[in-house]
Amino acid sequence: MAIVLVVDDDPTVRAIATELLREERHAIVEAADGDEALRVLEATRAELVVLDMLMPNRDGLETIMEIRRRHPGVRILAISSGGSIGAGDLLRMARLFGADETLAKPLSFSAFAATVNRLLETPAATGPFAVSG
């Protein structure tokens, strides 16, 4: 069992992701934006962050960079429907900034569960923009 942080400004998406992860027997903590996610990471030992890319306050790319700086061992699964940018472009940027994996919304249960479990078995990526420290 792992601790997984689910970060999305949409409470429905958080609820769905949380339910899917509980079925996989993971402990879940939630955050509504990138700022809250960083506070939660300071207080927990989350091994994986499921991170929406389009959020208020601190977007997904900014949050990925800060997670990589502060918590380089945490795995990151970036998720997005893309908004006006398009999911593919936004998720490619997420990988460049240090996300370990990406999935487009809506999330498929089987792909989501398989990706989460694979990430929990592998070390975190660093990405070219990641800052160690």
Side-chain angles (χ1 to χ4, degrees):
M1 176 178 81
I3 299 172
V4 179
L5 170 57
V6 176
V7 187
D8 199 303
D9 58 315
D10 183 337
T12 303
V13 172
R14 283 197 318 270
I16 291 167
T18 296
E19 191 58 36
L20 294 174
L21 291 166
R22 282 199 177 117
E23 287 182 20
E24 293 293 307
R25 304 209 185 317
H26 298 301
I28 312 305
V29 289
E30 296 181 26
D33 62 37
D35 289 335
E36 185 179 359
L38 294 170
R39 286 191 301 273
V40 170
L41 276 174
E42 293 298 326
T44 67
R45 293 185 169 271
E47 299 168 55
L48 171 66
V49 177
V50 177
L51 179 67
D52 184 34
M53 299 288 26
L54 298 173
M55 298 179 295
N57 302 325
R58 183 186 297 259
D59 70 23
L61 294 176
E62 293 173 308
T63 305
I64 289 170
M65 290 189 301
E66 196 60 25
I67 291 170
R68 285 288 166 247
R69 189 178 76 74
R70 295 186 196 180
H71 308 280
V74 172
R75 270 81 83 214
I76 301 170
L77 169 57
I79 61 173
S80 185
S81 58
S84 62
I85 298 171
D89 291 336
L90 190 54
L91 293 174
R92 274 190 291 282
M93 285 190 289
R95 287 296 290 256
L96 286 173
F97 279 74
D100 296 283
E101 288 284 345
T102 62
L103 287 174
K105 292 179 188 177
L107 299 174
S108 144
F109 172 72
S110 58
F112 184 61
T115 302
V116 165
N117 290 327
R118 184 174 60 253
L119 283 171
L120 289 170
E121 295 171 357
T122 60
T126 55
F129 297 107
V131 179
S132 62

